[in-house]
Each structure stands twice: as structure tokens, then as C-alpha cells.
Amino acid sequence: MESIFALAGQNLSSPIILSFVLGVFAALARSDLSFPEAAAKAMSLYLLFAIGFKGGASVAAYGLSLNLGMAILAGLFLSAVLPFVAFFLLKILTSLDTTNAAAVAGHYGSISIVTFVAGTSILEAQGIASEGFMVAVAAAMEAPAILSALWLVARSKAGQTNGGAQFDRRLLQEILFNGSIVLLVGSFLIGAVTGERGLASIESFIVAPFQGVLCLFLLDMGLVAGRGLRDGGRVLKPGIFVFGVVMPLIGAMIGLALGAAIGLSAGGVALLMVLSASASYIAVPAAMRVALPQADPAIYLTLSLGITFPFNLVIGLPVYVAVAQALLGGSS
Amino acid sequence: MESIFALAGQNLSSPIILSFVLGVFAALARSDLSFPEAAAKAMSLYLLFAIGFKGGASVAAYGLSLNLGMAILAGLFLSAVLPFVAFFLLKILTSLDTTNAAAVAGHYGSISIVTFVAGTSILEAQGIASEGFMVAVAAAMEAPAILSALWLVARSKAGQTNGGAQFDRRLLQEILFNGSIVLLVGSFLIGAVTGERGLASIESFIVAPFQGVLCLFLLDMGLVAGRGLRDGGRVLKPGIFVFGVVMPLIGAMIGLALGAAIGLSAGGVALLMVLSASASYIAVPAAMRVALPQADPAIYLTLSLGITFPFNLVIGLPVYVAVAQALLGGSS
Amino acid sequence: MESIFALAGQNLSSPIILSFVLGVFAALARSDLSFPEAAAKAMSLYLLFAIGFKGGASVAAYGLSLNLGMAILAGLFLSAVLPFVAFFLLKILTSLDTTNAAAVAGHYGSISIVTFVAGTSILEAQGIASEGFMVAVAAAMEAPAILSALWLVARSKAGQTNGGAQFDRRLLQEILFNGSIVLLVGSFLIGAVTGERGLASIESFIVAPFQGVLCLFLLDMGLVAGRGLRDGGRVLKPGIFVFGVVMPLIGAMIGLALGAAIGLSAGGVALLMVLSASASYIAVPAAMRVALPQADPAIYLTLSLGITFPFNLVIGLPVYVAVAQALLGGSS
Amino acid sequence: MKTHKAKRVAIIIEAPMESRLTDALEKAGVTGYSILPVLGGSGRSGSWRRDGQVGRAGGMVQVVSIVKEERLETLLNAAFEMVEHHMGVVTVSDCEVLRAERF
Amino acid sequence: MKTHKAKRVAIIIEAPMESRLTDALEKAGVTGYSILPVLGGSGRSGSWRRDGQVGRAGGMVQVVSIVKEERLETLLNAAFEMVEHHMGVVTVSDCEVLRAERF
Amino acid sequence: MKTHKAKRVAIIIEAPMESRLTDALEKAGVTGYSILPVLGGSGRSGSWRRDGQVGRAGGMVQVVSIVKEERLETLLNAAFEMVEHHMGVVTVSDCEVLRAERF
Ligand SMILES: Nc1ncnc2c1ncn2[C@@H]1O[C@H](COP(=O)(O)O)[C@@H](O)[C@H]1O
Ligand SMILES: Nc1ncnc2c1ncn2[C@@H]1O[C@H](COP(=O)(O)O)[C@@H](O)[C@H]1O
Ligand SMILES: Nc1ncnc2c1ncn2[C@@H]1O[C@H](COP(=O)(O)O)[C@@H](O)[C@H]1O
Ligand code: NA
Ligand code: NA
Ligand code: NA
């Protein structure tokens, strides 16, 4: 326990966390500091490309263990099931109606790729190895949660009246081929195909400056999250807030159990915990606006970006890594 | 021949080609993956600056051989003459009217700088030296083709009626001082003036991450080209398609002859082939919209970006390099 | 004196100066070369983050000398007082009315961070050490000058009639928490807290490519400054032009005296001279549009960006460094 | 200069609905439209801005279409169906156009 | 499709004044507005463009608000106070809106 | 608030023609205009979008100018000459302006 606090303390004093904190502070202080939308999007494309490519290259280097298939299945399962857990918890903790609860639940089954990236950074800093294919698992976890959320609405009374969930083939194709899935899987495959030689040719672009770009990106996320908290704070009833902190812990525990069961390494388990604990704030909100327009975006965006993301970043990540390492790591 | 296929195969499995392929795939799959316009433009400015500067610095290092003047003259000549070849070929292969054929022809006399950049990457990867001043030749080849295309329209019947080519001093100055010419020539001169010391001071910006930026830029070009093929596919009559594949080969052969005649190195000849084979998709289209508004942009953009660019990237480049090396290279 | 010319000559042939010159040339030649607004802003965020972080990390490494407090006080004092000097000089040299003279004066008390960055580059190139906390001094000097300028208007006749200066709490908070101050101070603190370990983790992002980004940013500034000169040239009466060249020299001398008095190193004194000599072109113009809308922005922007910035960049910086080094440097 | 009466329809709609709306317009026989960016705004559901955002949710775009009067009703029906359950503002105003043959 | 009369107010204003204007609109009881980017322009004080600029001075944005006729006067008074000493253009035009209950 | 009648002319034109159009407007005595970005669109010549594009061809911008009624005809003549052989849409609508002395 003590060492977990020490880890959290050390994590807290890393440039990436402090950059996020700076962003939140600037937004709360109503500074006009801001990143152009194009710059934010460019950084996110860079991070997706780099993390995917590195994962693929590492698979090429260390071989594709049989676990890949299992891990992807585990990811699909987690993404599909966690929304039910989240929905149940929301019904206990909050007074959200079915539509809003399902919309929020969908976010928690899906993932936040930047949380994943921050998780890999911590692993690297602590010298803990992890399976390169975990980025493919991340990609696999993006979408199923959306279907679960829509199903939750469809089978309810709200789903039968009032338009309900607007689901169709088009939405399905948008979800499956959304930009981050395509880029993540695509660059993963490119990394896997080109391997060491490919990595060597672009290493000084995707490896060396990675941490620095991540700092600026987290600064931007801090600005956006802080703005969200400032403007969307009204939705933050205590029950909702509690959900935003408890749900990631529950998700992480389920991820831990499943990751250990399928025999991932300590690092891989930590990453599966991170994925389970994290909540989407890009792909799922867009899908929800199309499919569940009645759900209030202020609720799911504030929860996902304003509560759970910072919680994971600052407290969750070092805890998940420490727990995985304690239970499954050889030494440490 | 065999080794050319081997080269093409190796080329095909490089991160830059695969990134382009990923982009095309994403566009055809109607993914919403996209780069902000500002990011695409920023990457192109980076590539122009870096390639120009490196060319200049290399001239500073290895001295300005007498060939520079000859090579620039050769470039101007190729740019001015290739449109006539292309026009003639189009009249044989397609049923395009004079205006559209001339507009397309102008694109093939001019150049695509990213094709040139990809060509230098292959040379570097294979350790083949080339003249640093070839970037100046690239800049020289941007504009003359436009004048040839407009002349082709002006002397035709279409040119006498129907508005014809809208050519004036203003357009001339826009063509000569268009952004990519100014940046390419400017950074070439800066590289030449500041030399080794200058290069050392910004090397870790313009050299180290270069290949990685090129990957992302080609991913973006794949997205744009794929979108163009999806929407503009209707113009792709067989004759047009054949032109898009045959013209670069003819261009490359003419470039080969001229490059060998003026005594360029094997690498320099390869690059002159690449320049001759490539077709403009930035400067010339903009000039054509002003000067030949009757010409259908779907035709020249689909051809240049959708057919010839991928053809050169995937098949052409390794072939041109292998041919130049086989005929003119000392060893290997 | 001779060696100052040599230095200026050497400075003139550095890639960053030549990039600026290229930008000015392109703008005057009416080239369409331009950076997207988002790219320009992204580069400026990068530069602020990097320079702040490095300053903080250097404070962490070399300890926080007692001088920091003194230097910040000196900065605040310079920023508050220089506008009075500038106002007085403008009243002598030009026929600007009180409002316009005060608006211009505010710009010269405040600072240009990119001039500061270029100054640190010269110091680094010459191997002259300087206090890391000088970036904090830079941040401290951004705002006070605005208050001085507004006070100059408020106590005048123009201030009593015609709306005068529109100053309120809101403007004060906008000035104090403007993006560049928050980012500079924030990244300075992050650098100071995370120290050597933090710097190591993002060094290949904020140190290695720094000079190259600076080149592109100065290219962009050259484009903007050249456009300003082309369009705003009409305001450049001789007296105004003379002010734009003389005021930085006076500012530098005052900075020199104060810096030497509080015991800064030669490098630190040089940077204080640079800050005093430089004129704001981001924060102060925005504040002036709100508070002194009657003042003509063409005057202060053309002066600050079109005259004083290039003057400092090309001639001023090497001179300030040489003078500081001659008077206070141990050897060389 | 000869001008012709037409209607200018401007639809501010959530960005994730953009392609659905433009498809609906095309189905409704609209011959042209343009998409304009929106930086931020405020309405009953709070305020928003694009700065620093990566996702498309929480952002609007504006689709503008100039149509002949006789096509207006079809267009509005198509647009209404799209915005019905969504945030969004639909306005119609009179205008005159050059080159009426294009609409 | 049932439409309702309303007014479309478009205010081109200096970027540094944007938040002051929108606050004033909110105080004046406006229920919604959208902010559109402007790339460049020209007027009595010369011409400008955003390309390559870092600072907000020397740039304009456009604030568009659709309001019921009865709110127009309050809105214009609020807007006028903001642009009075500043560059800027305020235009009002008639329009029809769907879903009048939103305004 | 006292308002004055004016005309709002909006011209969607190919980006490579932008500076030619604004020069023509200035020659026609227009005192001011603003340039707005367009992200994409669709028309008789197909559809386009700016995303990921580097070149200016294959993109449009919108030039908006508020003019006094008496200047309209000259402006439209100037605009028509520019769009004549080009893609583009020219619309005119009635509006009211504050501060008529500015136009
Ligand atoms: N009256 C209005 N005028 C202009 N834009 C509006 C108006 N009402 C809403 N909007 C835009 O539509 C978005 C969503 O509106 P709402 O559904 O009212 O929250 C707002 O954030 C604005 O961008
Ligand atoms: N008549 C007009 N039509 C459209 N925009 C205008 C007009 N007049 C001014 N503007 C815009 O407002 C800015 C400032 O105008 P001004 O105060 O006249 O210099 C211009 O640069 C344009 O962007
Ligand atoms: N009716 C219309 N309403 C709005 N924008 C249009 C319209 N027609 C054309 N445009 C715009 O002008 C561009 C070129 O139109 P066109 O010449 O018809 O291909 C389109 O891509 C749209 O951006
Ligand atoms: Na999750
Ligand atoms: Na060519
Ligand atoms: Na100063």
C-alpha cells in the first residue's frame, strides 16, 4: 500500500501528469490558452500511429504468441459486458434515466486510447515488459460497448417509445471503421509487417519525441477537461461523481481477473486493467449523438473526460500497474 | 528483371508505401479517418523545407559542379516538352477534347515533390549518392509545363473561341512565385549558404524525423487519393487509365536519356527520371482552375493523384532507380 | 566594434535569420506561401512550452539563486517604466497623438518571446551560460507595460473624453492569465519540479528539434511581417521608423544597467537587454484592441513586427550579447 | 444584372449528423450545398467550442443550400427529419441569385 | 412544413471582443448564438488575413444569432454597445425558422 | 436602434480565384468584405472537402460583402465577370445595418 502511494507520488511529478494539471488550472482560471482544433487532432493522429506501429513492430520482434487471439476475445468480451456492470451501478448510485444511464455505460465499456498510452509510458518508465499486441486489444475494445449500450435502451420502455436508439447499418459501419480503429489497426499491421527495419527507419519520429508530444496533448486534454468541468459541473451530482471514480476500479478488477486467467504477462494485465478502467471520450460520444440523441452529452462527457480520465491518469494507472506487478510480476 | 521485382517487393513493404495503402483503404472503406487541412499543409511545408535545405547543404559540402546549370536547363526543357508528348499520347489514347487534354498534359510536364522525396528516400536506403542540386531542378520543373499547356490551348480552335486560356502577367507571377517554388528554392539557398554548420544546427529536426513525417503525409495522400478515386472514378475510362500508367514510363525514359547525356550520376539520373515521370497535383491544378476553367478538374486530379502518383510510388520508383543503377551505376 | 560586425555577419548567416529573410522576401514578392493559422499557433505553443520547461529544468539543476527574486522585480520594473521612456521618445520623434503613442509605448515595455528565444539560441551557440529563470522574468515582463500604457491615456485629456481607456477587472484577468504567460510560467514550474529526470524524458522533443521549429516559425513571422510592411507601410513616417530602431537600443541599455546592478551573469544580462529591447506583438496588441480601440493597430503592429523585431533579430541580438560579454563576461 | 428569386436554407447541425443530412438533401433532389465550419456557440444545451477538441461530438457545422422556391418544401421535410431529435437550427431566407440555371 | 418568422443577426467583430459580445448577448436574454470563423477581409482600416498569425488582434469572428422579433431591439442595443468604439459590422435580416419553440 | 437598408452579397467561389475576385470588388468601389472558409460541398461538378488537402484547387471560399443598394449593380457586374467561366454561387439578400455611415 505504502509503495502504491510512493508510486502515485512519483507519477504525480511526471511531466505528463503535470502538463494535464496545468491545462486544468488554465481552464479553471479562464486563461485563453488553447490549442487549435487542427493541432489537437494532429497530435492524436500522431499518438495513434506511433502507438500502433510500435505495438506491431514489437509483435514482429517477439513473435505472435497464441495469446493474441485470446486477448482480443477477452477485450471484445470486456467491452461488451462492462456496460452492463456500469448500467447496474448507475441505477444504484444515480437517478439517471435509462437512456442516459445506457449512454454513460457505453463509454465505460469502450476505452480511452490516451489513458492506454499513458499506461504504457508508466510501464516503460518502470521497465516492465508488456505484449505488443495490446494495442490491437485496445482497438477491439472500442466498438462492442456501443452495441451493448444501444441494446440496453432498445429492450427498455424508453426504447420502445420516443425514437429510442437509432441504430442501422450505416452507424455500424461508422463505428467499425471509425478513424481511431482504422489508424490503430492499420499502423499495428504496418509495424508488424515492416518489423525492426521499418521501426528503425521511423524510430526517431515515433519513439524519440513521443513523450513530449504526449505532454502537449495532455496539456490540451487538461484544457478541454477543465472547460468541461467549469461549464458542465452542474451535472456532477454526488452519485455521478462516485460512479466516475468507482467504476474504473471495478473495471480494472474485472480486467485483472480476465487478464490473469488468459495468461498475460504482468505488464499485459496492467494494460488490460487500464483499458477496462478507462472510458471513451471520442468514438462513443460521436456514436451516441447519432444513436441516442436524447441522452445529455454533458453527463457522459463530463464523467468520462472530467472525472474518470483524470482519476485514472493520476491515481488509477500507478495503482493498476502496482497491483498487476504485485500479483503477477516475477520480481519488481 | 527479377531483381526489379525483388526491389519492388521490398519497396512495397516499406512503412511509407504501406501508410499510403492504409490511407487508400480507409478512404475506400468510408472511414472518417482524416487529417485536418492545416496539418496536411504543415507537413507539406516541413517536407519542402527539409528537402530543399538538405539539397542546399549537400551542394555546400560537395561543391557546385558545373552540372548544376546543365541540369536546370535539362529540367526546364523536360518540363516544357513533356506536355507535348503527353498531349499527343492523350489524343491517341483518349477522346478528351483539346482543353482537357492540354490541362492534363500540363500536369505531366510539371512534377510532384512528394514523389521526388520518396525517390530520394529509396536512394538513401540503397546507399546511392545523388546530386544535392536536384531539388533545384525539381523547382525549375514546376512551372514551364503550365505555359506549354496554355500554348497548346491558345493555338487550337478551342483557344480562339469560348474564352480559351486566361493568361496574364498576374498568373505568370503567381506561377513563378507559388509557395512550393519559393520555399524549395529558398531553403535550398539557405542550406547552400549555411552549409554544414547550418545543417548541424537543425539536423535533428529536418533529418531524423523526416521519414516518419513522410509516412503520415503519405497516409494523408492515400486518404485524399482514395476519396478521389471513390468520387472521381467515373472519369476513369480505360484509355485514360492507360495514359496514367504509360506516360510516367515514357517521361522516365526521356528523363533517363537526357540525364545520362548531361552526365549526371546514377542517383541524379534516377531522380530526373522520377521528376519526369511524376505529375503535379498542387501547383498545376490551381493554375489550371484560373487559366482553363473549362477543363474538368476531376479528370486531371484523378489521373495525377489517383493513378500516376500511386503507380510511381509503388512500382515506378524502384524501377527507375534500378534502371538508372543498372545502366549508369558503377557497382551493385 | 569590428568583432561586433563579425558577430552580426555570422548571425546573419544562421538558418533562423535566413528563414526570416526568406519569409519577408516571399511576402514582398506576393508569393502565396503561407502557414495555416493552426500551424503557426502550434509552433508558438511548442516554443513556449520548450523554453519554459528548459528554463525550469535548468533552475532545478543549478539551484535557485537568490537572484531570481531580484531579477523578477527588475523585470516588473523595466516593463512598467520602459513605456514612459518610449512615450517620451515618441512625443519627440513623431506626431502621434497621446492614444496612439501610449498604445505603441505599451508594446515596448512588454516583450517578444521569440526574440528572447532567438537570443538564447545565440548564447547557446557561443557557449555563454545564462540563468534558467530568465524565462520567468520574461513572463513577468509581459503585463505591467499594458497598465503603464493605459495609465498614460487615463491621465491625459484624451483619456477624459472619447471613451478613453476601457479598463476593468475582466481585462486585468485576461492580461494576467493570457495564454503565453500561463504556458511559460506553467512549463517553467513543471521543468523546475520534474528537473533532470523530467527533462531527460522529453528532451528529444523539446531540445533536439527546437532550432528547426524556430526556423519554420521565423519563416512564418517573416511572411507576416513582410505582409504587414507591404500593407501597413503607409504608417512608416521617418520619425516612426527611427523610433523603431532607437527605442530597442535605449531599452537594451537600461536593461544592461539594471541587469549588471543586480548581479546577473553576462548571459543573463544579455537576455535582460533582449527582453527590454523587444516589443510585444501578441499579448499587448490584443489587450490594446480591447482597451484602446481608438488606437490604430497598423501603427503598433507595423512598428513592433515590421521594424523592431527584424532589427533586433538581425542586428540587435548579436550586439547585445557582445556588449554584455565585453563588459561582464570573464573571458572571450 | 438579371437576378432570380431563390431560397437560402441554413442548417446548423451536430457534426456527427453532417453526412446523414447531406445524404438526405441529395435524396431530396437538392442540386448543391456548402458546408461551413462553426467554431463554437451556445444554446439550450449549454455552450461549446471546437478549440482543442479531437472528437466530433460536441460540435456543430453549418450546411447552406440555395434552392429554387419549388424545391423548398421537400428540402425542409428532409432537413426536419434529420434535426427532429437533435440539436440544430434551421433557417430559411429569401435571396436573389445570378445564373438561375444552376439551381 | 410550418415555419415561423424570426430575425437573423450577424455581427462581425474583432476577435479580442468575442467573449465580451457573447456575454452581452446572454445578458440581453438571447437564447442561442453560433460563432463562425472569418479568414480575412478588408474595410476602412485596411485589409487583414489570419494565415500564419498567432495573436488574436488583427482578426475578426462572426457571431450569428437567430432571435424572435420581440427580442431584436434588446439584442441590437447590446451589440451596439460592444461595437460602438470598435471595428465591426452588424446586419439584421428576416428569416423563417423551423421549431420556433427553441428561440 | 436605428437601422438602414443594405444588401448582403455572398459569393462562393473557387479558392484560386479569391484574390482576383476581391481585387475586382475593390475596383468596383466596394468598401468592405469578409472572407469565410468553406469546408466542403457538392454541386453539379461533384463533391469536395478540404480535409487533408494541400493545394488550393478543389476548394471554395465565401466572400461576403454588405453594400448600399446603389452600389449593388456595380458589385454584381464585377462578381459576374469573375464567376462567369467558373464554378460559384452568387446570392443577394436584403438586410438592415447599424452604422450605415460605414458602407
Ligand atoms: N438562436 C440561435 N442562433 C444561432 N445559433 C444557435 C441558436 N440556438 C442554437 N444555436 C446553435 O446550435 C447549438 C445547439 O443549440 P441547442 O440545441 O439550443 O443547445 C448551439 O450551441 C449553437 O451553436
Ligand atoms: N461592408 C462589409 N462587408 C463585409 N465585411 C466587412 C464590411 N466592412 C468591413 N467588414 C469586415 O470588418 C473588418 C473591419 O472593417 P473596418 O472597420 O471597416 O476596417 C473588415 O476587415 C472586414 O473583415
Ligand atoms: N445550391 C447551392 N447551394 C450552396 N452551395 C452551392 C450550391 N451549388 C453549388 N454550391 C457550392 O459551389 C460548389 C461548386 O458548385 P458547382 O459548380 O455546381 O459544382 C459546390 O461544391 C458547393 O460548395
Ligand atoms: Na473501459
Ligand atoms: Na513530370
Ligand atoms: Na521590451
Side-chain angles (χ1 to χ4, degrees), chain D residues 7-78:
Chain D
K7 293 284 182 181
R8 180 181 185 279
V9 182
I11 306 168
I12 299 184
I13 195 173
E14 296 185 67
M17 294 297 293
E18 177 194 312
S19 66
R20 282 176 175 74
L21 173 64
T22 54
D23 283 6
L25 294 184
E26 282 170 21
K27 262 201 212 134
V30 164
T31 57
Y33 57 81
S34 295
I35 302 167
L36 312 183
V38 185
L39 293 181
S42 178
R44 298 177 315 154
S45 56
S47 72
W48 61 278
R49 36 188 315 163
R50 287 306 301 163
D51 273 7
Q53 300 267 14
V54 172
R56 300 203 84 195
M60 322 276 299
V61 295
Q62 187 177 189
V63 177
V64 172
S65 182
I66 317 295
V67 290
K68 281 197 186 147
E69 188 137 19
E70 54 263 38
R71 291 236 182 79
L72 182 63
E73 193 63 23
T74 340
L75 192 168
L76 287 185
N77 285 325

Side-chain angles (χ1 to χ4, degrees), chain C residues 82-94 101 105 152 243 247:
Chain C
L82 285 173
F84 293 91
V85 180
F87 186 79
F88 181 74
L89 198 62
L90 283 163
K91 283 294 187 187
I92 297 177
L93 287 173
T94 74
L152 276 165
F243 171 83
M247 183 61 211

Side-chain angles (χ1 to χ4, degrees), chain B residues 82 107-112 141 274-280:
Chain B
L82 286 173
H107 289 71
Y108 283 80
S110 185
I111 59 127
S112 143
M141 288 180 72
V274 170
L275 290 172
S276 306
S278 75
S280 170

